[in-house]
Amino acid sequence: MKRTIIMMLDSFGIGAAGDAAKFGDVGADTFGHIAKACAEGRADIGRQGPLKLPNLARLGLGHAAMESTGAFAPGFNDNVELIGAYGYAQELSSGKDTPSGHWEMAGVPVLFDWGYFSDHQNSFPKELTDKILARAGLDGFLGNCHASGTTILEELGEEHMRTGQPIFYTSADSVFQIACHEETFGLDNLYRLCEIAREELEPYNIGRVIARPFAGSGPSDFARTGNRKDYSLPPPSNTVLDKLKEAGGEVVSVGKIADIYAYCGITKKVKANGLEALFDATLAEVKAAGDNTIVFTNFVDFDSHYGHRRDVAGYAKGLEYFDARLPEMLALLGEGDLLILTADHGCDPTWPGTDHTREYVPVLAYGAGLSATSLGQRNSFADIGQSIASHFKLEPMAYGESFI
């Protein structure tokens, strides 16, 4: 039986990529800086001491990061019995956003430029927002700026509840985000508004519209709920997910994977929120998965809860939780299974600002006859998709080199 399990640690970069200067990210290192903060006692909130990731280390994380940056991260060294193949990948795509990273690792790099709303204030063209409001029957909106998703709730959440006007905001990514209160505005109304925005944004080539529902009675307790939904453009060509589906295989999305690929190549979607629920759902789907199946999970908390919020201690605690549960996954794998752990970009919680960082990502692979050895630098995330195609004996992808 052949299966592939992809565990995407969203934003878990391992050092500034070779082209980081283009993005202002020279020196960024999500993993390395978290490990350094832990070793120096600056991440002792809800956890203590050096970063402890013994299972990821056995799969080659420390070694991959050493090859990426030239030195072992604090607390990691060569004194470990490796069980997995390990490497680090440079992104070929032009951005450092979620769709680009995900599509590229599935064999379809983004070789065009996304549209962006680059102005930090008055970010959106009036003709665009006028069309969205007219179709939705709304008389106005709030925001119209670059913002942190949590800060903007503190600033505008009460006004939104009082006026019924949605909050429109963006970031350095190719996104149009809409925040609305689940009860006073209504979840279905928010989703419909996002669908309208998705259609009106077609000429602007924006990668995602993101529904950001929240709950609470005031700034002190406003919080995003688990009903986020992403409305992505479809990949420009068939990914390895599409190819497996067309060959009669199954592709199971856990978390937001289906949204990121605009449901292309997905045969089953499983909803889960939070690291624990996402890990539980992944284990359940692997237990149920038959031959020729991909189980693909995005652990979004690393990005949305910790990276963007610059929460070093929270990121470290999340990594340690993930690591502690890895033996449960390894115990489910059969002889023909392939486990891949990777990321889609960086989001260094020690870096200035709140945006993603252009970094190498880990490529940790276990099973499928791979020996515990270095895979070296991979020149594209597409090497992952090409390897999955090779594993399932599918037609080769147009990009990437297989390490299978």
Side-chain angles (χ1 to χ4, degrees):
M1 186 164 68
K2 286 188 176 181
R3 306 180 299 178
T4 295
I5 298 91
I6 309 169
M7 304 181 83
M8 163 70 66
L9 285 75
D10 198 315
S11 85
F12 190 46
I14 57 170
D19 59 358
K22 297 179 183 178
F23 300 83
D25 290 332
V26 173
D29 184 356
T30 300
F31 169 51
H33 287 158
I34 293 170
K36 185 174 187 289
C38 290
E40 294 175 352
R42 295 185 287 110
D44 290 349
I45 303 172
R47 59 163 306 282
Q48 284 194 331
L51 186 62
K52 301 177 183 67
L53 305 175
N55 296 300
L56 284 165
R58 292 176 69 218
L59 288 167
L61 173 62
H63 287 67
M66 182 274 291
E67 291 187 355
S68 166
T69 65
F72 277 102
F76 294 79
N77 54 53
D78 197 30
N79 186 24
V80 59
E81 183 181 352
L82 294 169
I83 61 171
Y86 59 89
Y88 62 103
Q90 164 77 47
E91 187 167 9
L92 184 61
S93 298
S94 58
K96 52 178 179 177
D97 54 273
T98 295
S100 294
H102 280 74
W103 296 359
E104 182 170 329
M105 73 182 54
V108 182
V110 175
L111 303 179
F112 55 84
D113 290 328
W114 290 112
Y116 297 92
F117 298 112
S118 56
D119 292 339
H120 281 244
Q121 299 294 327
N122 297 316
S123 302
F124 307 118
K126 187 175 185 299
E127 62 177 3
L128 168 64
T129 56
D130 283 350
K131 289 179 180 179
I132 294 172
L133 295 175
R135 288 186 58 187
L138 296 168
D139 60 6
F141 70 100
L142 306 172
N144 199 9
C145 59
H146 283 227
S148 159
T150 52
T151 301
I152 204 165
L153 297 185
E154 296 171 0
E155 295 175 348
L156 298 176
E158 284 186 313
E159 186 177 355
H160 158 72
M161 293 176 69
R162 184 176 65 254
T163 64
Q165 295 181 347
I167 303 170
F168 295 170
Y169 67 105
T170 188
S171 72
D173 288 342
S174 182
V175 293
F176 188 100
Q177 304 188 78
I178 307 178
C180 294
H181 197 281
E182 280 198 358
E183 295 180 7
T184 63
F185 192 87
L187 191 59
D188 288 341
N189 291 332
L190 171 58
Y191 289 163
R192 175 59 185 149
L193 180 58
C194 288
E195 290 167 3
I196 291 171
R198 177 71 279 171
E199 293 171 4
E200 294 299 336
L201 281 161
E202 183 177 355
Y204 297 87
N205 198 32
I206 299 300
R208 286 181 295 165
V209 174
I210 306 178
R212 294 287 197 180
F214 68 97
S217 58
S220 64
D221 70 345
F222 282 147
R224 292 173 174 175
T225 73
N227 292 316
R228 163 185 171 158
K229 191 171 183 180
D230 292 38
Y231 298 80
S232 297
L233 290 175
S237 60
N238 278 358
T239 68
V240 72
L241 311 183
D242 294 297
K243 290 194 175 186
L244 183 62
K245 179 181 177 180
E246 291 171 358
E250 299 293 325
V251 180
V252 180
S253 155
V254 181
K256 71 173 189 175
I257 292 297
D259 289 350
I260 296 168
Y261 290 95
Y263 287 78
C264 298
I266 306 297
T267 61
K268 179 182 180 180
K269 178 182 178 180
V270 178
K271 186 176 179 180
N273 296 295
L275 293 180
E276 181 177 1
L278 285 163
F279 215 114
D280 287 344
T282 305
L283 294 174
E285 293 306 317
V286 172
K287 289 175 183 176
D291 196 19
N292 293 318
T293 297
I294 292 174
V295 178
F296 194 169
T297 304
N298 178 293
F299 291 87
V300 68
D301 296 56
F302 292 117
D303 186 51
S304 62
H305 282 36
Y306 310 130
H308 284 301
R309 298 184 188 182
R310 296 309 189 235
D311 182 356
V312 178
Y315 210 132
K317 183 178 179 180
L319 287 171
E320 289 172 338
Y321 174 82
F322 181 93
D323 185 88
R325 297 202 64 183
L326 270 177
E328 298 175 62
M329 175 59 70
L330 296 176
L332 296 180
L333 302 180
E335 185 176 347
D337 291 336
L338 172 64
L339 172 66
I340 296 174
L341 293 92
T342 189
D344 52 345
H345 48 70
C347 196
D348 186 341
T350 72
W351 204 244
T354 61
D355 295 324
H356 295 157
T357 41
R358 181 78 166 189
E359 297 184 47
Y360 295 117
V361 301
V363 180
L364 311 181
Y366 176 83
L370 288 165
S371 59
T373 189
S374 172
L375 300 172
Q377 179 176 337
R378 315 305 301 188
N379 293 322
S380 170
F381 295 4
D383 289 9
I384 294 172
Q386 194 71 274
S387 300
I388 293 170
S390 177
H391 181 57
F392 287 118
K393 300 191 183 307
L394 301 170
E395 177 186 353
M397 306 299 296
Y399 293 89
E401 296 183 10
S402 175
F403 50 75
I404 297 292

